[in-house]
Amino acid sequence: MPTIVVEVMPKAELLDPAGKAVSGALARLGHTVFTSVRIGKRFELTVDGPVTEATLAEARMIAEEMLSNQVIEDVISVHEAPAVGVGA
Amino acid sequence: MRIGVITFPGSLDDRDAQRAIRLAGAEPVALWHGEHDLKKVDAIVLPGGFSYGDYLRCGAIASHSPIMAEVIDAANKGLPVLGICNGFQMLVEAHLLPGGLIRNDHGRFVRRDQMIRVENNRTDWTSAFDENEEIVIPLKNGEGGYIADEATLDRLEGDGLVTFRYVGMNPNGSLNDIAGISNERGNVVGLMPHPEHAVERGFGPNTNKAMRSGMDGLRFFTSVIARVLV
């Protein structure tokens, strides 16, 4: 099924306590090459029928108004997933 | 005097809020998120809990509930609305209050009897307090860190919209130690601590006088009763 992917991240200037917790765990496990971790969200919106410019526009709208909170998050990307395999 | 308490899927403290309203001398009215009926109440409480499992963002899905259309409309017309914890999160998600609430900076859930200062006693929900009175109210949250951009913080501070500030320690990393805020009109108030859990001797927070004797939360509700009866 055609799928639109929406990616949302906490704003760069905000503390991301969840990412910080993972970052701390990585350091304790010896993976010191990774100096920081930030955790965001990925939404996969399945569409019944082809993805049109109108569907993408609607996805961008809900990405801004519902899937993210612009006070604390940024929408990084809204795009159609490649045809082969959801999550590709 | 009838005060509505809206129950959402995942609300926890709706019955506690109803009980607090009764103890303060008003009639609690149970309201349901899926309806469009405020049942002609004189004020509304959005209770604490974990509506929709905190999925998406805390309070985000609940803020789009059917009844929230009526709540937003009534709040903009001046109806007193109090958002407690998850209810506060709904108020910011519904843009009735500015800013946002994020995960506690230390990453852990916190539950403590928290001292806060009432910095604005001119709101509908704080008139029974003295200005700068320090009160103790139970706090329990995982995502109570208040944040806003610098311009919003300046406006909140400049216009006296910081209603409550944490005293002694900041339990969750909230900017400027903000525990609760109000809108300009003072009818919409949101805070992370739970006044409905400090309304009856034997069940409230500990005080210097006796264990579980704290009743500071009762005056949130007597404030709004006095406001509406004027």
Side-chain angles (χ1 to χ4, degrees):
Chain A
M1 290 289 254
T3 300
I4 296 173
V5 174
V6 175
E7 291 170 334
V8 173
M9 290 295 289
K11 281 192 187 294
E13 64 269 28
L14 290 181
L15 181 68
D16 171 18
K20 211 173 122 194
V22 174
S23 177
L26 289 180
R28 286 192 297 279
L29 292 168
H31 300 289
T32 48
V33 65
F34 306 109
T35 54
S36 93
V37 178
R38 293 176 66 247
I39 300 179
K41 292 175 187 149
R42 172 188 168 105
F43 301 84
E44 296 182 347
L45 310 172
T46 308
V47 181
D48 191 10
V51 172
T52 63
E53 197 40 54
T55 354
L56 274 170
E58 190 168 342
R60 279 187 211 104
M61 190 188 75
I62 63 162
E64 300 275 333
E65 293 179 4
M66 172 87 185
L67 302 182
S68 73
N69 175 347
Q70 299 291 296
V71 176
I72 56 178
E73 295 167 320
D74 291 320
V75 177
I76 300 300
S77 165
V78 179
H79 62 270
E80 186 177 0
V84 184
V86 170
Chain B
M1 172 76 193
R2 302 163 74 243
I3 304 178
V5 179
I6 303 176
T7 298
F8 298 87
S11 291
L12 291 180
D13 299 315
D14 43 344
R15 293 177 70 195
D16 300 66
Q18 291 173 17
R19 185 164 158 277
I21 289 163
R22 195 175 298 115
L23 288 168
E27 180 194 342
V29 177
L31 301 176
W32 183 242
H33 73 102
E35 295 176 352
H36 282 284
D37 187 3
L38 297 182
K39 299 187 179 172
K40 298 192 169 68
V41 293
D42 303 298
I44 292 172
V45 174
L46 303 180
F50 297 88
S51 58
Y52 293 92
D54 280 348
Y55 298 155
L56 190 58
R57 296 173 305 280
C58 300
I61 299 177
S63 75
H64 291 275
S65 298
I67 203 168
M68 286 304 288
E70 279 70 27
V71 171
I72 291 167
D73 186 50
N76 286 329
K77 288 177 181 157
L79 191 79
V81 177
L82 177 68
I84 301 167
C85 196
N86 194 214
F88 184 17
Q89 293 163 337
M90 290 176 209
L91 289 176
V92 298
E93 284 285 345
H95 306 298
L96 283 171
L97 292 174
L101 291 146
I102 61 169
R103 196 179 295 265
N104 297 346
D105 59 350
H106 45 72
R108 293 184 299 279
F109 192 93
V110 61
R111 138 66 223 162
R112 66 193 312 273
D113 295 338
Q114 176 68 45
M115 184 173 284
I116 58 176
R117 186 165 54 239
V118 182
E119 298 209 350
N120 180 352
N121 66 348
R122 299 172 303 284
T123 80
D124 289 356
W125 298 91
T126 56
S127 57
F129 296 101
D130 294 330
E131 195 173 36
N132 293 324
E133 184 174 348
E134 293 182 347
I135 62 177
V136 176
I137 301 288
L139 176 82
K140 46 171 195 175
N141 67 67
E143 304 195 30
Y146 181 79
I147 57 131
D149 59 35
E150 212 156 303
T152 304
L153 281 177
D154 287 346
R155 187 170 65 81
L156 288 172
E157 296 286 356
D159 295 349
L161 302 180
V162 176
T163 316
F164 309 101
R165 217 183 291 272
Y166 297 116
V167 176
M169 63 94 76
N170 181 334
N172 46 29
S174 292
L175 296 179
N176 294 22
D177 299 332
I178 289 173
I181 57 175
S182 81
N183 63 351
E184 284 83 358
R185 196 167 179 169
N187 64 307
V188 179
V189 171
L191 79 166
M192 288 313 295
H194 287 258
E196 80 281 16
H197 294 329
V199 294
E200 189 176 15
R201 209 167 293 283
F203 298 91
N206 295 337
T207 70
N208 292 336
K209 286 179 194 151
M211 283 175 66
R212 300 185 185 135
S213 63
M215 292 175 55
D216 289 335
L218 200 58
R219 281 182 286 165
F220 284 71
F221 304 99
T222 56
S223 291
V224 78
I225 292 170
R227 166 73 180 78
V228 169
L229 293 182
V230 165

